[in-house]
Amino acid sequence: MSASRPFPTIPSFLISTILAFIPTHIMAGSTAPASIPQVDFGKMGTVGLGGSFSGLDWYSSDSPFASSSSSSSSSASFSTTGDTLFYRTEDGNFRPLGSTNDGGIINSICWSSTPSGNDNGTLYIGGTFTSLSGTAAKNVGSFSLSTNTFQALGNGLSGNVNTLYCDNDNSEVWFGGSFDAPQGQGGNVALWSTSSSAWQAPAFGGLNGVVASITPSANGSSIYFGGDFTTSYISTSSINSTLRTNITSQPNAPANTTTVGQSGYLTPLTISASASDSSDYQIHAGPTSDTSSGGYGDVNGLLCPGTGTWLAQENTISNVNLVGTEYLPATGVRMVNGHEDGRSTTYFCFTSLPDYQELNMTYTDPKTGKNETCTDHCPLYTDSSISAQDFIFTQGVHNLTGFEIQLKEWTGDGAALGSVSLLTDGAYSSATGTGVSSSCASGKNSTIAQVGDWSKKTAATDQATESYLSSSVSTRNPSGTQVTFYPYVGSAGQYDIYVFIPGCKNIGDCDGRTSVDIEVFPLQGGLGWTSTISEQVDYDTSTLVYSGPVDATSDAFSPTLSLALAANPAAPNRGNDYVVVADRIQLVLTGITESDGSTVSTSSSSTSNGTTIGTPISNTTSNSNSTYNIAYGVYEYARSSNSTLNAATSSLSNNTETPLTRLGFALDAALNASGSAASSWVVNTIVAANNTVFVGGDFSASNNYTNVISIDTSSGEASALASQGLSGVVNTAAVVGGYVFFGGDFTSTASSGGVALNYIARYDPSSKAWAALGGGVDGYVTDLLASTSSTTQLIVMGNFSHVVSTNGTSTQSGGYAIYDVSISDWLNTGVVFGNVSAGAVPLSSSGVSTESFFAGKVYGSASNSVGGVATLTTDDDGNAVISSLNGVNFGTSGSSPSASSSPSRRSVVSRSTHPYTRSWLARYTDAIVERAHTVLSTRATPPTIAQQSTEAPAVLAGAFWTNSSASGKPSVTILGGNFTSNNGGIQGLAFYDSKNGGLTGPSTPIEGVVKTLNVIGNNVYIGGEALNVQSVGSGLMVYDLKASNWVTGGMPSLNPPSGSSNVTVNAIRTRGNTNTVVVAGNFGTAGSLGCAGVCLWDSKDAQWSTPGSGLSGGEVRAIDFAGDSSDTLIAAGSFALSSGDIAYVASYTFSNSSWTPLGTLPGPALAVAVDDKNSSNIFAAGYSTTDGSSYLQQWDGHTWTAQSASLAPGSLVSQLAFVPMNSEHTPVGSIESDRMLMISGDLYLEGSGNVTSALYDGSTFYPYLVGTSSSGDLGAGGALFWSESDFSFKVRHYLARGLVVLVAIAIATGLILLFILIALLLAFCFRRKERKDQSLYEKQEDVDSDRDVDSTHQNVFNNVQAALEASLVGGGLAGAGAGAGLAGVAAGRKENRVSDPSSYNSGAYPIGSDADAEDEELEEEEEEGGRETTMRYDFDGPDLQDGELPMRAGQRILILDDEQSTEWWFARDLTTGKEGVVPATYVW
């Protein structure tokens, strides 16, 4: 007796049954609303819809393309000329609220609750615009979410608004930008009261520069302002009564000096120079007067004012030259004219050295008092009452090593000159004393003092040298090394003090460089300012160490600055010695202080010779509270402050300073040291995270921080972020989930080797580490928001189009996306077409908490980003779902050799107003209507159907292939159309692997527009318009999917019809279970075979044939089959039969090879569909040759009947397809209750508007799908394609899910009890058998073994096997039947014209090759017949008997015989080719 085996698949069946009713995670998508008919796409297998759309949505009355009669939304639409204000609904749809005037820009929005809190709140809007949806509003406005109306805010604001902050707790809205104050004084900051609906003056007045950011502190007690402005702070107290708290500026220029602006307060640069070569600078003048006596020829006196006059040679132009080797910073020159014996100079020019540039200078005309400029003829006035004249270099501070002054004109016998003094822009002192100590007796010299061992060294620079002091100090015993500068300061005033540091790379001492302490004593009786700066700089650097009041040099006091080895010096890179260098210092006059304490700013500024900017290691601090300082870019307004000073025009008290203020001091120091880069500096964003404030923008301090910095508000400690910050401008920041997110225009961290980032970054304050958000986005980010509806979601806005996942797969999103920190991935949020500049989220407690609001240059939107192709599925509840293919993205260009034109969007108009819309069909109908009368005559030329120009990118065809040779046998979706990939590597034809995701394409791309695909075995046939593959061929192409190469040879090419140069293939279909492939389009011949419009290809014999007598010309647009065995071909288009008759739809019968025109239609048919192969129920769509109107008509086997008039003129139908429904509808007309006709294309439905696809039940059109192109226009539907070639329309009835779960549990429980009873019964039987005699048992076992082959299923196996063998040799009834069938087919084909097969027997064309084992098996299956299906359960295990065929659930199987037995069926495994019997209940 054979061993008992258990029922093999009940456990898996049981598990599957239970799990089937448990909700599972599905791919993110959009579920069809209950208001539209539900299609059961699950019956069709895998379903895709392609077209010229980037987004796809279910139709609703809120659709932007819905007609006004059906739309429930406002009349607002996305603007193509200005910025649009819009919102995202709870279900993920984007809806416009209004837009600006043409060219208007919205920079910022915020949401504010109303004081009463009884409505949805108000949106406040700022930017650069003059109106909002027709309401006059100057740069600011509001939108009520309760009344849906825009309002102006008073008279608006005078300039651009950059940022807004809605302070709901205080019923205020703050505006920042560049504008005049609407109330009070100040500007750039404005305050609107929501309770009084009026402007109010901010308590601090305003700010003196552009405001880019306004945000609250962590606890809301302060408001942070960021931008491009400064605030000044000065103390009002002292630590003892002897400390001076103010100064008064006095000019140091001689009396009666004609000055320019504040030049009288500038200190002349004292220079040690003589006529001898031993001096640092040489002064030469000549030619000198021949009659000079009494010292009038001493040139050394020219640099010492008041010491004498130099006379030039009579009647001769003369020069005064100063020549040196080191650069001197000069802002102008003070000229003292000579007055001797009637001689004076009247005109001169000034040339700088070593660049020999004749400088343009500004001077004051003493006669008119007006400023004038001069270059080659600068006037010196001969009035002896004018003691001196100042000439300021118009371009600013000029670094020079000398000068040449040419005395061009004079009075008397020749030129005369008293003295020449270079003016600095403040004061100057060199550590080496070079060029700064004069031999003049005035004593107005800068001096120095040294402590420690210093040596003078020289470094070469461009066209000059630079001397400096250097000291080497042991790291083991650092001694006191110090240089003290005593600069001569001619006038008290407000100064910036810079320390110059020579770059170590030019000198070669980088290994030993360290840090130094700087101490500044600027005021008599005051205490000092200290700071620590780094000398570890590669290039010449200037560092701001002090900014504030400085006393003038006097007999009792001299301002001093000391430079010494730092108390805690930075370690040298190498070696055991610190290297300290001292170069020079420069004081830059920034303002003069009047006697009343007010400060007048000067316009002079300085530049640095260095190419790299230095920065203080720590913030400059004062050891006295009697100080004055400037903060750049940040301002903190504390609501508790009672100060009434205007921050824009006044110096604020130091009791208003905050840690953020002190960060502003450091930013100002770095700004002043940055030279030319300072013009772009700005603070764009400030965000608080607990006790830390993060500041981002466009700023940097070399070797310290770049574009982002933080400060601890508790300790006041400022810190650079990891990797020195970010590589580009930071525009925005937000805090989500404890992380700080930054967005802007950067791609990595600032330091080399840091984290690669794409425009958005995450910073972890606890670990001080950067992290990427997947692969980032593909364009810069303008705004970030923390979602109020979820604590883990970050809203990202900007000028990008795709988000990139970690694996590099990109998804089109437009300028809006959401990142979820809890799953570390981007969410599917649909797509907006354009750039989003700003956003706002309401409070979670508001009535609109589920919505979010945005603004930007957006042209349209869609809830589902699909990139030209979408998948359509049915979920467990029977609802249709739109999803995208992950990673499918195309570029903006098409694969067509000629650029595709973008059709303009039609207006949604009433048919009663316009008989039809011509904008789309004009290119089709203009020529056709003119010859409409010709169409009525027989044997006429069929009307030409103009080729449609499809907007790229567009997917126009799709197919499926299972890669059986790959691991897991993944399914591959094949896409064809008018598209290219972003990198151009994929063109016209693409493959999507469901297992790995992403797109691939042939190594040699195809040119042209692919319109149809058909998979046969491992080959895909490709047709379209103007197709060509280099070095392969053109027309109809074939690609071997398994071998990944193009098929060459073996198929004669299709040739253009007479008078045309292009071949167009519109449809390729396989006729049922035959080898016949029908190819339709616009062509004339196949090789030498006349085969116009429709041609038949034998995929087995590799041979073309003409269907019957064929067509005589024209184009076939679409085909379908009728009859149970696809006995009839239905062709639609505009063509002529061989009889000469014009037909728009005709049938071809394969059995008798005859063509029959089907009735009369108004014009060319563009699409056709047969209802489940019923030749008496055919639908065709096209347009009339009379008036261009669209039509949909039904053929009942005798006549055509026009369908609903809802398909309005202007509609363009690209495809018709019958789809199964999820529930039955009332049958109307000829369409059954379990299906509807899906119409795709570019449709306009009366009463509904523009749609991409619609459903038709025989009487009524239901708008179904709406596609949107990347330009915001309606996207046309191209092709619906599916994987199941034969599916049932029968409606599946679903029980309620809860009831199903209960039934499943009951069944499972019952089955478990049944298994227990069976197990007990079997155990009882085994025990009884074991009691039998062993010999009897063995005998019985032998008998049982012999009888195994006599089991029921083995008899079935033997009978069927014998029948098959007989059929293969022609014996028996089966063989005779098969032979007769084949003979009938052969007889039918004899009536067709065929191409000569002899020329295709080379074997080069694999479809007809006998060497392909898979094709042989397929051919055998077709000859033998059978039904292909899928295993329902596993049938496998060690207990299988002989003749049983092991199979797994889901495997494809061919049923060869299901008549011999109702329990066991004879079948073949399509993968292995093995045959055997399987339980009938295990098969679908």
Side-chain angles (χ1 to χ4, degrees):
M1 178 178 177
S2 62
S4 174
R5 65 184 171 88
F7 200 75
T9 57
I10 286 297
S12 61
F13 163 73
L14 185 61
I15 295 173
S16 301
T17 303
I18 297 174
L19 291 179
F21 303 108
I22 299 176
T24 58
H25 176 73
I26 62 174
M27 182 179 178
S30 173
T31 303
S35 58
I36 63 177
Q38 295 292 335
V39 178
D40 190 350
F41 291 108
K43 295 178 181 177
M44 304 170 70
T46 305
V47 182
L49 178 67
S52 58
F53 45 73
S54 295
L56 189 67
D57 294 328
W58 303 109
Y59 175 84
S60 76
S61 58
D62 290 330
S63 165
F65 308 109
S67 62
S68 58
S69 61
S70 67
S71 177
S72 61
S73 61
S74 67
S75 59
S77 61
F78 287 101
S79 173
T80 60
T81 58
D83 276 13
T84 300
L85 179 70
F86 61 100
Y87 70 104
R88 187 172 188 257
T89 64
E90 183 179 7
D91 58 4
N93 294 311
F94 297 93
R95 297 288 180 257
L97 296 172
S99 57
T100 68
N101 55 285
D102 291 355
I105 297 173
I106 297 176
N107 291 322
S108 183
I109 61 175
C110 70
W111 178 89
S112 173
S113 62
T114 56
S116 63
N118 294 327
D119 58 16
N120 294 330
T122 302
L123 289 176
Y124 287 88
I125 308 150
T128 303
F129 48 81
T130 57
S131 66
L132 295 168
S133 290
T135 300
K138 189 176 182 180
N139 301 320
V140 291
S142 66
F143 180 81
S144 171
L145 295 172
S146 297
T147 62
N148 290 339
T149 56
F150 286 95
Q151 288 184 338
L153 302 183
N155 294 324
L157 295 175
S158 62
N160 181 51
V161 175
N162 295 322
T163 182
L164 277 74
Y165 166 56
C166 288
D167 187 350
N168 294 306
D169 293 337
N170 295 282
S171 300
E172 296 173 341
V173 181
W174 292 85
F175 296 82
S178 179
F179 48 79
D180 297 329
Q183 188 73 24
Q185 297 179 347
N188 304 317
V189 177
L191 179 60
W192 176 264
S193 171
T194 60
S195 57
S196 63
S197 298
W199 293 107
Q200 294 182 347
F204 58 88
L207 295 168
N208 63 8
V210 177
V211 175
S213 173
I214 306 175
T215 53
S217 63
N219 60 10
S221 62
S222 297
I223 300 178
Y224 300 141
F225 295 82
D228 183 15
F229 55 81
T230 59
T231 50
S232 61
Y233 294 81
I234 190 166
S235 173
T236 59
S237 63
S238 62
I239 59 175
N240 70 60
S241 60
T242 63
L243 293 177
R244 295 174 56 241
T245 60
N246 55 54
I247 59 173
T248 301
S249 301
Q250 297 292 337
N252 69 86
N256 298 323
T257 298
T258 304
T259 58
V260 180
Q262 309 300 332
S263 67
Y265 295 86
L266 301 180
T267 302
L269 186 65
T270 56
I271 302 174
S272 175
S274 70
S276 67
D277 293 336
S278 61
S279 301
D280 295 319
Y281 288 83
Q282 291 82 46
I283 180 75
H284 303 284
T288 304
S289 172
D290 294 333
T291 61
S292 293
S293 60
Y296 293 124
D298 183 10
V299 296
N300 293 325
L302 287 173
L303 295 179
C304 296
T307 60
T309 302
W310 176 81
L311 299 180
Q313 186 172 345
E314 288 72 21
N315 298 317
T316 304
I317 295 175
S318 57
N319 295 326
V320 176
N321 296 338
L322 178 71
V323 180
T325 58
E326 295 194 10
Y327 278 107
L328 297 171
T331 192
V333 61
R334 179 169 292 161
M335 302 286 290
V336 176
N337 208 346
H339 303 282
E340 193 70 32
D341 297 332
R343 300 173 62 163
S344 294
T345 301
T346 56
Y347 288 96
F348 75 102
C349 67
F350 184 97
T351 301
S352 64
L353 301 177
D355 55 355
Y356 288 93
Q357 181 180 353
E358 194 170 74
L359 300 184
N360 179 270
M361 297 185 293
T362 301
Y363 67 97
T364 299
D365 188 333
K367 296 180 180 179
T368 64
K370 295 182 179 180
N371 286 351
E372 306 286 350
T373 60
C374 63
T375 303
D376 56 351
H377 274 71
C378 293
L380 276 179
Y381 292 92
T382 59
D383 186 353
S384 60
S385 65
I386 300 176
S387 59
Q389 285 181 249
D390 287 352
F391 295 81
I392 302 301
F393 302 149
T394 305
Q395 67 177 9
V397 175
H398 197 82
N399 292 305
L400 44 80
T401 59
F403 58 76
E404 178 184 282
I405 296 176
Q406 189 174 73
L407 308 180
K408 293 187 171 183
E409 296 183 26
W410 53 87
T411 62
D413 296 333
L417 190 62
S419 65
V420 178
S421 300
L422 288 176
L423 298 176
T424 67
D425 55 350
Y428 180 86
S429 179
S430 170
T432 61
T434 302
V436 297
S437 59
S438 173
S439 57
C440 302
S442 65
K444 298 178 180 180
N445 301 327
S446 296
T447 60
I448 62 167
Q450 302 177 11
V451 175
D453 185 14
W454 294 88
S455 59
K456 181 178 178 180
K457 295 186 177 182
T458 302
T461 61
D462 292 341
Q463 299 179 314
T465 60
E466 177 182 317
S467 60
Y468 65 97
L469 296 180
S470 178
S471 178
S472 180
V473 181
S474 173
T475 58
R476 298 182 179 90
N477 185 26
S479 59
T481 300
Q482 179 175 308
V483 172
T484 302
F485 297 84
Y486 300 92
Y488 179 83
V489 180
S491 298
Q494 305 295 326
Y495 287 86
D496 288 340
I497 302 179
Y498 293 87
V499 172
F500 286 77
I501 307 168
C504 67
K505 282 195 172 181
N506 189 31
I507 297 171
D509 61 355
C510 293
D511 290 340
R513 288 289 185 95
T514 181
S515 53
V516 294
D517 286 338
I518 303 293
E519 188 170 16
V520 179
F521 290 89
L523 298 171
Q524 183 177 5
L527 298 181
W529 284 63
T530 62
S531 62
T532 302
I533 65 174
S534 173
E535 292 192 331
Q536 294 171 328
V537 296
D538 293 339
Y539 304 100
D540 291 356
T541 301
S542 62
T543 300
L544 180 69
V545 295
Y546 173 80
S547 181
V550 176
D551 259 336
T553 301
S554 66
D555 294 337
F557 174 76
S558 175
T560 62
L561 182 149
S562 64
L563 180 152
L565 178 66
N568 296 296
N573 293 331
R574 185 180 303 173
N576 298 317
D577 291 329
Y578 296 116
V579 174
V580 181
V581 293
D583 186 354
R584 60 193 186 277
I585 67 170
Q586 185 170 358
L587 286 74
V588 177
L589 181 66
T590 60
I592 59 173
T593 303
E594 305 286 0
S595 58
D596 61 358
S598 62
T599 299
V600 179
S601 176
T602 65
S603 60
S604 61
S605 61
S606 66
T607 60
S608 168
N609 292 334
T611 59
T612 299
I613 308 307
T615 178
I617 290 178
S618 61
N619 297 332
T620 300
T621 59
S622 171
N623 55 12
S624 161
N625 63 354
S626 60
T627 60
Y628 168 97
N629 214 340
I630 302 294
Y632 172 79
V634 294
Y635 173 71
E636 180 175 352
Y637 166 62
R639 292 190 175 277
S640 59
S641 172
N642 56 8
S643 173
T644 59
L645 292 176
N646 191 317
T649 59
S650 302
S651 295
L652 306 177
S653 171
N654 70 342
N655 60 17
T656 64
E657 291 182 11
T658 67
L660 185 66
T661 306
R662 287 186 278 277
L663 177 61
F665 295 158
L667 288 174
D668 187 67
L671 168 69
N672 288 302
S674 65
S676 60
S679 61
S680 65
W681 275 46
V682 66
V683 172
N684 288 323
T685 183
I686 304 174
V687 65
N690 297 322
N691 292 329
T692 304
V693 175
F694 294 85
V695 177
D698 185 3
F699 52 80
S700 64
S702 181
N703 298 319
N704 196 330
Y705 55 84
T706 303
N707 300 318
V708 64
I709 192 172
S710 69
I711 188 164
D712 189 317
T713 57
S714 299
S715 65
E717 180 181 356
S719 302
L721 274 61
S723 301
Q724 297 185 9
L726 296 167
S727 64
V729 178
V730 174
N731 294 325
T732 180
V735 179
V736 176
Y739 299 111
V740 184
F741 294 85
F742 296 93
D745 191 7
F746 52 82
T747 56
S748 66
T749 54
S751 63
S752 60
V755 180
L757 308 165
N758 286 321
Y759 307 103
I760 187 167
R762 188 195 78 185
Y763 187 75
D764 187 345
S766 59
S767 64
K768 301 186 185 305
W770 292 101
L773 275 65
V777 296
D778 63 353
Y780 65 85
V781 173
T782 57
D783 200 6
L784 296 174
L785 283 176
S787 172
T788 56
S789 61
S790 172
T791 58
T792 63
Q793 293 181 1
L794 174 72
I795 302 173
V796 184
M797 295 149 279
N799 287 35
F800 54 88
S801 59
H802 293 77
V803 295
V804 185
S805 63
T806 304
N807 63 5
T809 302
S810 64
T811 301
Q812 185 177 16
S813 62
Y816 165 85
I818 294 181
Y819 186 84
D820 195 314
V821 299
S822 64
I823 61 175
S824 298
D825 204 357
W826 298 99
L827 300 182
N828 180 14
T829 55
V831 57
V832 295
F833 303 110
N835 302 320
V836 180
S837 56
V841 289
L843 296 176
S844 57
S845 59
S846 70
V848 288
S849 60
T850 59
E851 298 172 349
S852 45
F853 303 89
F854 306 97
K857 196 165 292 299
V858 174
Y859 309 111
S861 66
S863 299
N864 302 284
S865 173
V866 295
V869 60
T871 59
L872 302 175
T873 57
T874 300
D875 63 16
D876 294 339
D877 293 324
N879 300 315
V881 178
I882 299 173
S883 302
S884 61
L885 292 178
N886 186 29
V888 174
N889 290 289
F890 298 113
T892 56
S893 59
S895 54
S896 174
S898 58
S900 300
S901 61
S902 300
S904 40
R905 182 170 61 194
R906 296 188 304 280
S907 301
V908 180
V909 294
S910 170
R911 187 177 182 184
S912 60
T913 305
H914 298 278
Y916 62 95
T917 305
R918 295 180 55 82
S919 58
W920 278 78
L921 285 179
R923 60 179 177 271
Y924 289 92
T925 58
D926 285 348
I928 296 172
V929 172
E930 292 177 1
R931 55 174 182 268
H933 64 280
T934 309
V935 179
L936 302 177
S937 61
T938 60
R939 308 189 70 83
T941 301
T944 300
I945 304 175
Q947 293 297 322
Q948 177 187 0
S949 296
T950 306
E951 182 178 5
V955 174
L956 305 177
F960 301 95
W961 172 68
T962 299
N963 187 0
S964 57
S965 63
S967 175
K969 299 182 179 180
S971 174
V972 176
T973 303
I974 309 167
L975 304 175
N978 183 25
F979 56 76
T980 58
S981 61
N982 288 318
N983 60 10
I986 300 173
Q987 182 172 302
L989 181 67
F991 311 121
Y992 178 81
D993 189 327
S994 60
K995 180 179 180 181
N996 301 319
L999 288 176
T1000 58
S1003 57
T1004 304
I1006 192 169
E1007 296 178 356
V1009 178
V1010 174
K1011 293 186 172 183
T1012 181
L1013 300 167
N1014 189 37
V1015 174
I1016 302 176
N1018 291 323
N1019 299 289
V1020 57
Y1021 288 70
I1022 306 153
E1025 180 183 354
L1027 297 188
N1028 180 68
V1029 178
Q1030 293 184 7
S1031 303
V1032 176
S1034 59
L1036 178 64
M1037 312 302 299
V1038 181
Y1039 186 81
D1040 189 326
L1041 297 165
K1042 185 175 182 181
S1044 298
N1045 57 34
W1046 291 101
V1047 174
T1048 58
M1051 175 186 284
S1053 63
L1054 297 176
N1055 302 310
S1058 177
S1060 175
S1061 59
N1062 287 330
V1063 168
T1064 300
V1065 175
N1066 295 317
I1068 306 172
R1069 295 278 298 273
T1070 301
R1071 180 196 168 201
N1073 294 323
T1074 71
N1075 299 320
T1076 302
V1077 180
V1078 181
V1079 180
N1082 188 11
F1083 45 82
T1085 64
S1088 60
L1089 179 69
C1091 201
V1094 177
C1095 209
L1096 308 180
W1097 171 255
D1098 191 315
S1099 61
K1100 178 182 178 182
D1101 296 334
Q1103 185 174 353
W1104 286 109
S1105 63
T1106 304
S1109 57
L1111 305 179
S1112 63
E1115 180 179 3
V1116 176
R1117 269 299 180 92
I1119 59 175
D1120 204 351
F1121 293 100
D1124 293 338
S1125 301
S1126 299
D1127 306 308
T1128 304
L1129 172 70
I1130 307 299
S1134 178
F1135 48 85
L1137 302 177
S1138 60
S1139 62
D1141 294 330
I1142 300 299
Y1144 300 131
V1145 177
S1147 65
Y1148 173 75
T1149 305
F1150 287 93
S1151 60
N1152 58 18
S1153 301
S1154 63
W1155 285 93
T1156 304
L1158 301 186
T1160 303
L1161 286 171
L1166 304 177
V1168 69
V1170 180
D1171 184 2
D1172 202 16
K1173 298 185 178 180
N1174 182 1
S1175 60
S1176 296
N1177 196 20
I1178 303 173
F1179 284 78
Y1183 62 89
S1184 170
T1185 57
T1186 303
D1187 59 6
S1189 61
S1190 305
Y1191 69 79
L1192 175 68
Q1193 297 205 14
Q1194 182 260 343
W1195 173 259
D1196 61 4
H1198 303 285
T1199 59
W1200 290 101
T1201 303
Q1203 301 301 292
S1204 170
S1206 295
L1207 188 64
S1211 298
L1212 183 64
V1213 177
S1214 60
Q1215 187 191 43
L1216 300 175
F1218 282 94
V1219 292
M1221 304 306 295
N1222 187 45
S1223 60
E1224 294 181 348
H1225 60 87
T1226 302
V1228 181
S1230 61
I1231 297 181
E1232 295 90 329
S1233 62
D1234 57 3
R1235 69 200 69 181
M1236 284 191 185
L1237 181 66
M1238 184 169 173
I1239 307 167
S1240 298
D1242 194 341
L1243 313 178
Y1244 173 42
L1245 303 182
E1246 291 284 5
S1248 299
N1250 295 94
V1251 297
T1252 299
S1253 295
L1255 297 175
Y1256 181 66
D1257 66 358
S1259 173
T1260 304
F1261 280 94
Y1262 300 92
Y1264 192 55
L1265 292 168
V1266 177
T1268 308
S1269 70
S1270 58
S1271 60
D1273 294 328
L1274 180 73
L1280 183 75
F1281 53 97
W1282 55 92
S1283 60
E1284 289 292 336
S1285 57
D1286 293 312
F1287 58 85
S1288 171
F1289 288 97
K1290 185 177 180 180
V1291 172
R1292 294 183 288 192
H1293 297 282
Y1294 298 91
L1295 295 175
R1297 175 171 287 196
L1299 181 59
V1300 171
V1301 171
L1302 292 176
V1303 171
I1305 294 174
I1307 293 174
T1309 305
L1311 289 174
I1312 292 173
L1313 294 175
L1314 178 61
F1315 293 153
I1316 295 173
L1317 291 174
I1318 292 174
L1320 292 173
L1321 180 61
L1322 290 175
F1324 174 75
C1325 293
F1326 276 126
R1327 289 193 182 96
R1328 290 194 60 187
K1329 291 178 181 179
E1330 287 172 356
R1331 298 191 187 102
K1332 293 183 179 181
D1333 181 75
Q1334 182 64 32
S1335 60
L1336 179 62
Y1337 173 80
E1338 293 175 353
K1339 180 178 179 181
Q1340 185 63 40
E1341 184 179 15
D1342 293 338
V1343 174
D1344 289 340
S1345 178
D1346 294 338
R1347 290 180 179 177
D1348 281 345
V1349 294
D1350 294 329
S1351 62
T1352 301
H1353 59 265
Q1354 190 62 38
N1355 286 333
V1356 173
F1357 174 78
N1358 292 337
N1359 292 338
V1360 173
Q1361 187 69 23
L1364 288 174
E1365 291 174 355
S1367 68
L1368 292 175
V1369 298
L1373 294 176
L1382 294 174
V1385 174
R1389 288 184 181 175
K1390 288 181 180 179
E1391 300 179 10
N1392 299 342
R1393 292 173 291 166
V1394 299
S1395 55
D1396 182 7
S1398 61
S1399 61
Y1400 317 133
N1401 289 340
S1402 63
Y1405 203 75
I1407 296 177
S1409 172
D1410 292 336
D1412 194 324
E1414 292 184 11
D1415 291 336
E1416 288 180 357
E1417 292 175 3
L1418 182 60
E1419 292 162 11
E1420 290 174 3
E1421 292 163 7
E1422 292 175 348
E1423 292 173 2
E1424 294 170 4
R1427 176 173 62 88
E1428 186 176 339
T1429 184
T1430 304
M1431 288 296 293
R1432 189 174 185 179
Y1433 312 119
D1434 290 344
F1435 183 62
D1436 200 357
D1439 298 319
L1440 289 184
Q1441 296 184 12
D1442 292 341
E1444 293 177 344
L1445 180 64
M1447 296 292 290
R1448 306 292 293 180
Q1451 276 189 277
R1452 303 296 292 174
I1453 189 171
L1454 184 68
I1455 304 300
L1456 299 174
D1457 191 314
D1458 56 5
E1459 297 179 357
Q1460 295 281 333
S1461 170
T1462 59
E1463 297 179 356
W1464 295 89
W1465 289 352
F1466 187 71
R1468 175 185 299 159
D1469 185 337
L1470 291 177
T1471 302
T1472 64
K1474 294 181 179 180
E1475 297 176 349
V1477 293
V1478 294
T1481 57
Y1482 282 37
V1483 181
W1484 285 105

